[in-house]
mmCIF file of all heavy atoms in Angstrom:
data_model
loop_
_atom_site.group_PDB
_atom_site.id
_atom_site.type_symbol
_atom_site.label_atom_id
_atom_site.label_comp_id
_atom_site.label_asym_id
_atom_site.label_seq_id
_atom_site.Cartn_x
_atom_site.Cartn_y
_atom_site.Cartn_z
ATOM 1 N N SER H 45 -1.559 27.711 3.321
ATOM 2 C CA SER H 45 -1.496 28.839 4.162
ATOM 3 C C SER H 45 -2.671 28.843 5.128
ATOM 4 O O SER H 45 -3.704 28.213 4.953
ATOM 5 C CB SER H 45 -1.526 30.123 3.322
ATOM 6 O OG SER H 45 -0.395 30.184 2.475
ATOM 7 N N PRO H 46 -2.482 29.497 6.281
ATOM 8 C CA PRO H 46 -3.531 29.493 7.372
ATOM 9 C C PRO H 46 -4.940 29.825 6.753
ATOM 10 O O PRO H 46 -5.096 30.852 6.122
ATOM 11 C CB PRO H 46 -3.038 30.604 8.320
ATOM 12 C CG PRO H 46 -1.542 30.573 8.202
ATOM 13 C CD PRO H 46 -1.332 30.308 6.700
ATOM 14 N N GLY H 47 -5.880 28.976 7.083
ATOM 15 C CA GLY H 47 -7.265 29.280 6.702
ATOM 16 C C GLY H 47 -7.497 28.999 5.218
ATOM 17 O O GLY H 47 -8.595 29.419 4.728
ATOM 18 N N GLN H 48 -6.578 28.486 4.444
ATOM 19 C CA GLN H 48 -6.731 28.332 3.026
ATOM 20 C C GLN H 48 -6.731 26.890 2.571
ATOM 21 O O GLN H 48 -6.381 25.954 3.409
ATOM 22 C CB GLN H 48 -5.620 29.100 2.284
ATOM 23 C CG GLN H 48 -5.489 30.529 2.644
ATOM 24 C CD GLN H 48 -6.706 31.301 2.146
ATOM 25 O OE1 GLN H 48 -7.231 31.057 1.057
ATOM 26 N NE2 GLN H 48 -7.227 32.151 3.030
ATOM 27 N N GLY H 49 -7.044 26.627 1.396
ATOM 28 C CA GLY H 49 -6.909 25.310 0.788
ATOM 29 C C GLY H 49 -5.496 25.010 0.416
ATOM 30 O O GLY H 49 -4.568 25.799 0.731
ATOM 31 N N LEU H 50 -5.279 23.909 -0.217
ATOM 32 C CA LEU H 50 -3.944 23.531 -0.657
ATOM 33 C C LEU H 50 -3.585 24.027 -2.025
ATOM 34 O O LEU H 50 -4.381 23.997 -2.914
ATOM 35 C CB LEU H 50 -3.834 21.969 -0.649
ATOM 36 C CG LEU H 50 -3.437 21.336 0.749
ATOM 37 C CD1 LEU H 50 -4.679 21.494 1.639
ATOM 38 C CD2 LEU H 50 -3.150 19.894 0.507
ATOM 39 N N GLN H 51 -2.281 24.399 -2.208
ATOM 40 C CA GLN H 51 -1.813 24.816 -3.525
ATOM 41 C C GLN H 51 -0.643 23.914 -3.891
ATOM 42 O O GLN H 51 0.231 23.666 -3.034
ATOM 43 C CB GLN H 51 -1.375 26.297 -3.413
ATOM 44 C CG GLN H 51 -0.836 26.800 -4.739
ATOM 45 C CD GLN H 51 -0.373 28.226 -4.619
ATOM 46 O OE1 GLN H 51 0.008 28.769 -3.587
ATOM 47 N NE2 GLN H 51 -0.263 28.949 -5.718
ATOM 48 N N LEU H 52 -0.618 23.461 -5.140
ATOM 49 C CA LEU H 52 0.368 22.655 -5.570
ATOM 50 C C LEU H 52 1.700 23.439 -5.820
ATOM 51 O O LEU H 52 1.684 24.481 -6.494
ATOM 52 C CB LEU H 52 0.000 22.014 -6.890
ATOM 53 C CG LEU H 52 1.026 21.093 -7.569
ATOM 54 C CD1 LEU H 52 1.279 19.802 -6.683
ATOM 55 C CD2 LEU H 52 0.494 20.616 -8.987
ATOM 56 N N LEU H 53 2.784 22.977 -5.107
ATOM 57 C CA LEU H 53 4.065 23.609 -5.303
ATOM 58 C C LEU H 53 4.866 23.062 -6.526
ATOM 59 O O LEU H 53 5.468 23.783 -7.278
ATOM 60 C CB LEU H 53 4.933 23.517 -4.066
ATOM 61 C CG LEU H 53 4.573 24.351 -2.837
ATOM 62 C CD1 LEU H 53 5.442 23.925 -1.686
ATOM 63 C CD2 LEU H 53 4.760 25.841 -3.158
ATOM 64 N N LEU H 54 4.842 21.726 -6.560
ATOM 65 C CA LEU H 54 5.574 21.020 -7.576
ATOM 66 C C LEU H 54 5.186 19.599 -7.625
ATOM 67 O O LEU H 54 4.575 19.103 -6.672
ATOM 68 C CB LEU H 54 7.134 21.127 -7.417
ATOM 69 C CG LEU H 54 7.691 20.858 -6.069
ATOM 70 C CD1 LEU H 54 7.839 19.417 -5.811
ATOM 71 C CD2 LEU H 54 9.067 21.552 -5.860
ATOM 72 N N LYS H 55 5.530 18.903 -8.734
ATOM 73 C CA LYS H 55 5.282 17.504 -8.910
ATOM 74 C C LYS H 55 6.318 16.808 -9.618
ATOM 75 O O LYS H 55 7.070 17.456 -10.475
ATOM 76 C CB LYS H 55 3.820 17.293 -9.551
ATOM 77 C CG LYS H 55 3.822 17.894 -10.994
ATOM 78 C CD LYS H 55 2.411 17.672 -11.524
ATOM 79 C CE LYS H 55 2.255 18.281 -12.999
ATOM 80 N NZ LYS H 55 2.376 19.702 -13.013
ATOM 81 N N TYR H 56 6.469 15.486 -9.412
ATOM 82 C CA TYR H 56 7.477 14.660 -10.124
ATOM 83 C C TYR H 56 6.732 13.449 -10.601
ATOM 84 O O TYR H 56 6.049 12.704 -9.888
ATOM 85 C CB TYR H 56 8.565 14.250 -9.156
ATOM 86 C CG TYR H 56 9.525 13.230 -9.767
ATOM 87 C CD1 TYR H 56 10.440 13.582 -10.700
ATOM 88 C CD2 TYR H 56 9.409 11.880 -9.536
ATOM 89 C CE1 TYR H 56 11.254 12.726 -11.296
ATOM 90 C CE2 TYR H 56 10.169 10.935 -10.146
ATOM 91 C CZ TYR H 56 11.090 11.370 -11.061
ATOM 92 O OH TYR H 56 11.898 10.484 -11.673
ATOM 93 N N PHE H 57 6.986 13.233 -11.876
ATOM 94 C CA PHE H 57 6.434 11.944 -12.478
ATOM 95 C C PHE H 57 7.590 11.093 -13.063
ATOM 96 O O PHE H 57 7.541 9.892 -12.835
ATOM 97 C CB PHE H 57 5.529 12.310 -13.664
ATOM 98 C CG PHE H 57 4.238 13.053 -13.241
ATOM 99 C CD1 PHE H 57 3.405 13.719 -14.214
ATOM 100 C CD2 PHE H 57 3.817 13.044 -11.941
ATOM 101 C CE1 PHE H 57 2.271 14.298 -13.782
ATOM 102 C CE2 PHE H 57 2.694 13.689 -11.545
ATOM 103 C CZ PHE H 57 1.919 14.354 -12.497
ATOM 104 N N SER H 58 8.531 11.696 -13.742
ATOM 105 C CA SER H 58 9.591 10.973 -14.270
ATOM 106 C C SER H 58 10.651 11.939 -14.770
ATOM 107 O O SER H 58 10.465 13.169 -14.785
ATOM 108 C CB SER H 58 9.123 10.047 -15.477
ATOM 109 O OG SER H 58 8.578 10.873 -16.551
ATOM 110 N N GLY H 59 11.746 11.411 -15.297
ATOM 111 C CA GLY H 59 12.757 12.347 -15.883
ATOM 112 C C GLY H 59 13.716 12.902 -14.809
ATOM 113 O O GLY H 59 14.070 12.244 -13.848
ATOM 114 N N ASP H 60 14.099 14.138 -15.062
ATOM 115 C CA ASP H 60 15.076 14.776 -14.164
ATOM 116 C C ASP H 60 14.579 14.721 -12.715
ATOM 117 O O ASP H 60 13.460 15.057 -12.369
ATOM 118 C CB ASP H 60 15.141 16.274 -14.531
ATOM 119 C CG ASP H 60 16.300 16.991 -13.905
ATOM 120 O OD1 ASP H 60 16.840 16.456 -12.975
ATOM 121 O OD2 ASP H 60 16.752 18.064 -14.370
ATOM 122 N N THR H 61 15.483 14.224 -11.846
ATOM 123 C CA THR H 61 15.027 13.959 -10.414
ATOM 124 C C THR H 61 15.033 15.307 -9.695
ATOM 125 O O THR H 61 14.559 15.248 -8.479
ATOM 126 C CB THR H 61 16.046 13.058 -9.753
ATOM 127 O OG1 THR H 61 17.324 13.462 -9.923
ATOM 128 C CG2 THR H 61 15.845 11.660 -10.499
ATOM 129 N N LEU H 62 15.506 16.389 -10.122
ATOM 130 C CA LEU H 62 15.419 17.622 -9.490
ATOM 131 C C LEU H 62 14.291 18.410 -10.076
ATOM 132 O O LEU H 62 14.398 18.795 -11.294
ATOM 133 C CB LEU H 62 16.718 18.444 -9.538
ATOM 134 C CG LEU H 62 16.943 19.670 -8.719
ATOM 135 C CD1 LEU H 62 16.673 19.439 -7.263
ATOM 136 C CD2 LEU H 62 18.190 20.401 -8.968
ATOM 137 N N VAL H 63 13.316 18.741 -9.309
ATOM 138 C CA VAL H 63 12.093 19.388 -9.938
ATOM 139 C C VAL H 63 12.032 20.827 -9.384
ATOM 140 O O VAL H 63 12.141 20.996 -8.162
ATOM 141 C CB VAL H 63 10.802 18.588 -9.453
ATOM 142 C CG1 VAL H 63 9.598 19.213 -10.059
ATOM 143 C CG2 VAL H 63 10.975 17.121 -9.870
ATOM 144 N N GLN H 64 11.776 21.723 -10.214
ATOM 145 C CA GLN H 64 11.537 23.124 -9.872
ATOM 146 C C GLN H 64 10.098 23.380 -9.650
ATOM 147 O O GLN H 64 9.251 22.906 -10.500
ATOM 148 C CB GLN H 64 12.172 24.104 -10.857
ATOM 149 C CG GLN H 64 13.656 23.845 -11.058
ATOM 150 C CD GLN H 64 14.464 24.069 -9.837
ATOM 151 O OE1 GLN H 64 14.256 25.026 -9.083
ATOM 152 N NE2 GLN H 64 15.474 23.252 -9.627
ATOM 153 N N GLY H 65 9.727 24.188 -8.675
ATOM 154 C CA GLY H 65 8.331 24.542 -8.464
ATOM 155 C C GLY H 65 8.158 26.035 -8.405
ATOM 156 O O GLY H 65 9.066 26.827 -8.722
ATOM 157 N N ILE H 66 6.986 26.387 -7.897
ATOM 158 C CA ILE H 66 6.631 27.827 -7.707
ATOM 159 C C ILE H 66 7.200 28.314 -6.453
ATOM 160 O O ILE H 66 7.641 27.565 -5.590
ATOM 161 C CB ILE H 66 5.104 28.010 -7.739
ATOM 162 C CG1 ILE H 66 4.432 27.293 -6.585
ATOM 163 C CG2 ILE H 66 4.523 27.589 -9.066
ATOM 164 C CD1 ILE H 66 2.972 27.631 -6.467
ATOM 165 N N LYS H 67 7.232 29.618 -6.350
ATOM 166 C CA LYS H 67 7.714 30.332 -5.176
ATOM 167 C C LYS H 67 9.148 30.015 -4.726
ATOM 168 O O LYS H 67 9.547 30.134 -3.587
ATOM 169 C CB LYS H 67 6.744 30.009 -3.902
ATOM 170 C CG LYS H 67 5.312 30.275 -4.237
ATOM 171 C CD LYS H 67 4.458 30.191 -2.907
ATOM 172 C CE LYS H 67 3.013 30.477 -3.288
ATOM 173 N NZ LYS H 67 2.182 30.424 -2.093
ATOM 174 N N GLY H 68 10.042 29.629 -5.701
ATOM 175 C CA GLY H 68 11.417 29.312 -5.428
ATOM 176 C C GLY H 68 11.740 27.983 -4.841
ATOM 177 O O GLY H 68 12.834 27.726 -4.384
ATOM 178 N N PHE H 69 10.689 27.123 -4.688
ATOM 179 C CA PHE H 69 10.921 25.775 -4.154
ATOM 180 C C PHE H 69 11.411 24.759 -5.141
ATOM 181 O O PHE H 69 11.155 24.860 -6.301
ATOM 182 C CB PHE H 69 9.646 25.251 -3.536
ATOM 183 C CG PHE H 69 9.271 25.936 -2.264
ATOM 184 C CD1 PHE H 69 8.422 26.992 -2.254
ATOM 185 C CD2 PHE H 69 9.737 25.430 -1.016
ATOM 186 C CE1 PHE H 69 8.117 27.606 -1.036
ATOM 187 C CE2 PHE H 69 9.420 26.039 0.170
ATOM 188 C CZ PHE H 69 8.608 27.144 0.186
ATOM 189 N N GLU H 70 12.170 23.798 -4.746
ATOM 190 C CA GLU H 70 12.514 22.586 -5.532
ATOM 191 C C GLU H 70 12.520 21.409 -4.680
ATOM 192 O O GLU H 70 12.549 21.454 -3.484
ATOM 193 C CB GLU H 70 13.976 22.828 -6.110
ATOM 194 C CG GLU H 70 15.122 22.875 -5.051
ATOM 195 C CD GLU H 70 16.478 23.017 -5.648
ATOM 196 O OE1 GLU H 70 16.592 23.575 -6.700
ATOM 197 O OE2 GLU H 70 17.465 22.530 -4.992
ATOM 198 N N ALA H 71 12.528 20.301 -5.309
ATOM 199 C CA ALA H 71 12.466 19.042 -4.663
ATOM 200 C C ALA H 71 13.296 17.950 -5.388
ATOM 201 O O ALA H 71 13.396 18.084 -6.644
ATOM 202 C CB ALA H 71 11.072 18.443 -4.409
ATOM 203 N N GLU H 72 13.851 17.117 -4.741
ATOM 204 C CA GLU H 72 14.758 16.021 -5.386
ATOM 205 C C GLU H 72 14.202 14.683 -5.091
ATOM 206 O O GLU H 72 14.029 14.334 -3.900
ATOM 207 C CB GLU H 72 16.195 16.189 -4.874
ATOM 208 C CG GLU H 72 17.109 15.287 -5.613
ATOM 209 C CD GLU H 72 18.615 15.569 -5.311
ATOM 210 O OE1 GLU H 72 18.943 16.239 -4.441
ATOM 211 O OE2 GLU H 72 19.436 14.936 -6.128
ATOM 212 N N PHE H 73 13.986 13.934 -6.133
ATOM 213 C CA PHE H 73 13.531 12.531 -5.977
ATOM 214 C C PHE H 73 14.786 11.614 -5.854
ATOM 215 O O PHE H 73 15.652 11.698 -6.759
ATOM 216 C CB PHE H 73 12.707 12.205 -7.192
ATOM 217 C CG PHE H 73 12.401 10.645 -7.308
ATOM 218 C CD1 PHE H 73 11.658 10.040 -6.334
ATOM 219 C CD2 PHE H 73 12.901 9.935 -8.405
ATOM 220 C CE1 PHE H 73 11.413 8.702 -6.478
ATOM 221 C CE2 PHE H 73 12.516 8.564 -8.480
ATOM 222 C CZ PHE H 73 11.836 7.958 -7.508
ATOM 223 N N LYS H 74 14.834 10.835 -4.773
ATOM 224 C CA LYS H 74 15.929 9.869 -4.634
ATOM 225 C C LYS H 74 15.301 8.536 -4.430
ATOM 226 O O LYS H 74 14.885 8.160 -3.370
ATOM 227 C CB LYS H 74 16.759 10.278 -3.428
ATOM 228 C CG LYS H 74 17.582 11.571 -3.600
ATOM 229 C CD LYS H 74 18.504 11.796 -2.448
ATOM 230 C CE LYS H 74 19.370 13.070 -2.694
ATOM 231 N NZ LYS H 74 20.323 13.393 -1.540
ATOM 232 N N ARG H 75 15.364 7.702 -5.516
ATOM 233 C CA ARG H 75 14.802 6.382 -5.511
ATOM 234 C C ARG H 75 15.372 5.515 -4.440
ATOM 235 O O ARG H 75 14.679 4.818 -3.745
ATOM 236 C CB ARG H 75 14.893 5.723 -6.817
ATOM 237 C CG ARG H 75 14.150 4.410 -6.919
ATOM 238 C CD ARG H 75 14.568 3.704 -8.271
ATOM 239 N NE ARG H 75 14.139 4.492 -9.382
ATOM 240 C CZ ARG H 75 12.891 4.537 -9.875
ATOM 241 N NH1 ARG H 75 11.951 3.760 -9.371
ATOM 242 N NH2 ARG H 75 12.541 5.270 -10.920
ATOM 243 N N SER H 76 16.719 5.594 -4.311
ATOM 244 C CA SER H 76 17.417 4.681 -3.377
ATOM 245 C C SER H 76 17.063 4.946 -1.964
ATOM 246 O O SER H 76 17.126 4.086 -1.106
ATOM 247 C CB SER H 76 18.956 4.884 -3.521
ATOM 248 O OG SER H 76 19.307 6.186 -3.231
ATOM 249 N N GLN H 77 16.626 6.134 -1.659
ATOM 250 C CA GLN H 77 16.246 6.509 -0.256
ATOM 251 C C GLN H 77 14.677 6.676 -0.062
ATOM 252 O O GLN H 77 14.199 6.975 1.026
ATOM 253 C CB GLN H 77 16.866 7.851 0.144
ATOM 254 C CG GLN H 77 18.391 7.824 0.129
ATOM 255 C CD GLN H 77 19.020 9.072 0.451
ATOM 256 O OE1 GLN H 77 18.426 9.988 0.953
ATOM 257 N NE2 GLN H 77 20.278 9.280 0.065
ATOM 258 N N SER H 78 13.978 6.443 -1.164
ATOM 259 C CA SER H 78 12.487 6.565 -1.180
ATOM 260 C C SER H 78 12.210 7.947 -0.602
ATOM 261 O O SER H 78 11.293 8.085 0.302
ATOM 262 C CB SER H 78 11.787 5.467 -0.393
ATOM 263 O OG SER H 78 12.041 4.206 -0.987
ATOM 264 N N SER H 79 12.863 8.932 -1.109
ATOM 265 C CA SER H 79 12.613 10.294 -0.473
ATOM 266 C C SER H 79 12.316 11.347 -1.541
ATOM 267 O O SER H 79 12.733 11.107 -2.717
ATOM 268 C CB SER H 79 13.882 10.702 0.344
ATOM 269 O OG SER H 79 15.031 11.014 -0.525
ATOM 270 N N PHE H 80 11.654 12.388 -1.145
ATOM 271 C CA PHE H 80 11.307 13.458 -2.020
ATOM 272 C C PHE H 80 11.304 14.747 -1.205
ATOM 273 O O PHE H 80 10.231 15.216 -0.861
ATOM 274 C CB PHE H 80 9.961 13.199 -2.685
ATOM 275 C CG PHE H 80 9.575 14.161 -3.794
ATOM 276 C CD1 PHE H 80 10.282 14.372 -4.907
ATOM 277 C CD2 PHE H 80 8.333 14.856 -3.751
ATOM 278 C CE1 PHE H 80 10.066 15.203 -5.957
ATOM 279 C CE2 PHE H 80 8.007 15.726 -4.731
ATOM 280 C CZ PHE H 80 8.847 15.933 -5.817
ATOM 281 N N ASN H 81 12.483 15.185 -0.901
ATOM 282 C CA ASN H 81 12.622 16.315 0.054
ATOM 283 C C ASN H 81 12.459 17.637 -0.705
ATOM 284 O O ASN H 81 12.894 17.868 -1.753
ATOM 285 C CB ASN H 81 13.995 16.232 0.713
ATOM 286 C CG ASN H 81 14.079 15.058 1.689
ATOM 287 O OD1 ASN H 81 13.138 14.375 1.989
ATOM 288 N ND2 ASN H 81 15.333 14.818 2.147
#
Side-chain angles (χ1 to χ4, degrees):
Chain H
S45 298
Q48 301 298 314
L50 276 69
Q51 181 183 21
L52 180 65
L53 284 175
L54 48 80
K55 60 184 182 289
Y56 172 79
F57 294 165
S58 64
D60 192 344
T61 57
L62 186 62
V63 182
Q64 302 298 319
I66 62 171
K67 306 186 179 188
F69 286 92
E70 66 178 26
E72 186 171 13
F73 171 61
K74 292 185 177 180
R75 183 189 301 277
S76 61
Q77 298 176 20
S78 297
S79 69
F80 189 57
N81 294 349

